[in-house]
Amino acid sequence: MTVLLKKFSQKRFLVYFLFAGALFLLDFGPFFLSFKNVFAKLLQPVRLEACQLRQFTLGKVFYSSRLKDQEEKILDLEKESAVMRGRIVELQQIYDENKRLRELVGSAMTEGKIIYQPAWVIGHRGDYLMVNRGKEDGVMLEQLVINEKHYFVGRVAEVFDREAKVLVVGSASLELPVSVLSDWERDCFAGAVDCQKAKGILSGEIIKDILREGDIGAGDVVTLLDDHRGILIGEITQVKESKDNIFKQAEMKSLVDFDRLTEVFLIN
Amino acid sequence: MGERKDYLWLVLVFLLFVVALLEAVFISLPITLFLVIVLAFYWEEKIFPWAFWVGVWRDLASWCHLGVWSMIFLAAALLTIIIKRRGLGLESNKLSLPK
């Protein structure tokens, strides 16, 4: 072994290499952990500086003016993009409004029977909607309010000079005499075929006082009683028997999506 | 003149440690290894202690397992010296920097 070591000219290398190996093996234990932690804490500011330096590229030094111009251009483009996005939203609103109005004009059931007065929904709280038409626009109490699909929205409950308060369908305060019709066929609403199954009083989302003879079921539609303007109120979801054995009740779901309601029509 | 040579030696060792630190926290290129090889070419056996300590420093700075970089630098230094002497056929100390 000694001969080998003598032949090996790099004794110093062997000493240091063995020392490094010992260090390597000892580091598997917890001996140097505290020392390494202290060293890591001491180097923490250097690491932070290094992180900041990484973000500072050479391009920013040599092309700073060019980069500045580019950043200004990006800002301008972002502004332009924001304006254009606003314009797109505006156009989309016009498009939606146009579509709804076209649907309304194309409604064959109501030809020549109803005078529409368009209004914007300006507020919705609890059972009431506020619309931007009032006394000055000729709005009257008890006037019916429908949406663009001809679904019943509610009834005018209070009129101000420039606004009106509408009590919406589904509210317990709104009581209406209604008919229950068999299906969605257009002939039913036009009066060509007698599709009426039953009559009742709508209060909230419950139709009361329906005679037991009325053969109604889920899916039947609810409309205003003796009204041939084709205004739909809702759809029967459930039929319940009442305790008196004379009448029965039905639960109804409104056809209007109040969350998306923006325009309504006051009708005469 | 002799003081100037000592100063150069000190600067090179300091540079070695600084480069190791930079490599550990900032640059991912193996510049320390390159520097150790260059210095091993000129200093020969005298590089071993510095290769060892720079390796320890490098391990500490990069939170590596202690001894790993020391062994790598020592092996690289030895390999450089062997290649210099046998492979390139250069005589010992002929090109080494003055002490």
Side-chain angles (χ1 to χ4, degrees), chain A residues 24 27 36-37 39 47 54, chain B residues 25 52 57 61 63 65-66:
Chain A
F24 178 77
D27 200 30
K36 283 166 90 174
N37 282 332
F39 201 82
R47 284 182 187 281
R54 273 195 195 113
Chain B
V25 298
F52 172 77
W57 170 256
W63 192 257
H65 200 91
L66 287 182

Side-chain angles (χ1 to χ4, degrees), chain A residues 21-41:
Chain A
L23 208 60
F24 178 77
L25 291 172
L26 284 170
D27 200 30
F28 282 106
F31 311 108
F32 301 114
L33 199 62
S34 53
F35 180 64
K36 283 166 90 174
N37 282 332
V38 169
F39 201 82
K41 275 187 183 174

Side-chain angles (χ1 to χ4, degrees), chain A residues 55-252:
Chain A
Q55 290 164 1
F56 189 77
T57 58
L58 286 172
K60 283 183 181 170
V61 178
F62 295 111
Y63 302 104
S64 57
S65 59
R66 197 177 156 190
L67 275 173
K68 204 177 169 184
D69 290 344
Q70 295 289 339
E71 279 168 6
E72 278 173 9
K73 272 183 190 173
I74 289 167
L75 276 175
D76 289 342
L77 286 170
E78 278 173 359
K79 277 181 198 168
E80 201 178 327
S81 170
V83 171
M84 294 312 287
R85 278 201 297 272
R87 183 85 182 122
I88 288 168
V89 171
E90 195 181 329
L91 287 170
Q92 185 63 44
Q93 283 172 343
I94 292 168
Y95 173 79
D96 292 343
E97 185 186 357
N98 187 28
K99 195 178 165 188
R100 285 195 293 273
L101 289 171
R102 269 192 282 131
E103 280 175 12
L104 192 65
V105 171
S107 175
M109 297 181 292
T110 58
E111 283 172 35
K113 291 179 183 173
I114 307 173
I115 299 165
Y116 297 93
Q117 189 176 16
W120 289 102
V121 176
I122 55 174
H124 186 189
R125 183 179 289 179
D127 292 342
Y128 294 95
L129 284 180
M130 288 297 287
V131 294
N132 68 339
R133 301 282 178 194
K135 277 178 193 166
E136 290 178 5
D137 306 296
V139 176
M140 294 174 292
L141 273 174
E142 305 292 316
Q143 219 175 328
L144 298 184
V145 181
I146 59 169
N147 72 355
E148 78 283 353
K149 289 181 177 170
H150 236 253
Y151 297 153
F152 183 74
V153 172
R155 199 167 59 186
V156 176
E158 204 173 342
V159 187
F160 305 103
D161 288 342
R162 289 181 182 176
E163 292 105 26
K165 207 172 178 180
V166 178
L167 186 60
V168 297
V169 65
S171 163
S173 312
L174 184 70
E175 287 204 344
L176 289 168
V178 293
S179 297
V180 181
L181 304 179
S182 61
D183 51 35
W184 290 86
E185 289 297 320
R186 186 179 153 180
D187 289 342
C188 290
F189 302 106
V193 181
D194 185 17
C195 302
Q196 186 172 297
K197 283 183 168 182
K199 295 175 185 176
I201 304 292
L202 175 68
S203 174
E205 290 185 334
I206 306 288
I207 303 167
K208 299 182 288 188
D209 302 340
I210 303 168
L211 286 170
R212 287 187 63 79
E213 288 75 28
D215 181 27
I216 60 168
D220 288 342
V221 291
V222 182
T223 182
L224 289 169
L225 184 65
D226 297 330
D227 186 284
H228 298 288
R229 292 180 289 187
I231 300 168
L232 293 177
I233 299 174
E235 195 177 290
I236 300 287
T237 53
Q238 197 182 354
V239 181
K240 292 175 182 174
E241 296 293 331
S242 62
K243 290 173 186 173
D244 54 20
N245 293 325
I246 302 169
F247 298 108
K248 53 185 174 182
Q249 292 185 344
E251 273 185 26
M252 182 212 78

Side-chain angles (χ1 to χ4, degrees), chain B residues 70-91:
Chain B
S70 292
M71 287 193 280
I72 292 169
F73 289 156
L74 282 166
L78 180 72
L79 207 67
T80 309
I81 293 163
I82 290 169
I83 289 169
K84 180 189 167 187
R85 287 181 183 174
R86 296 185 184 175
L88 302 176
L90 296 171
E91 286 176 29

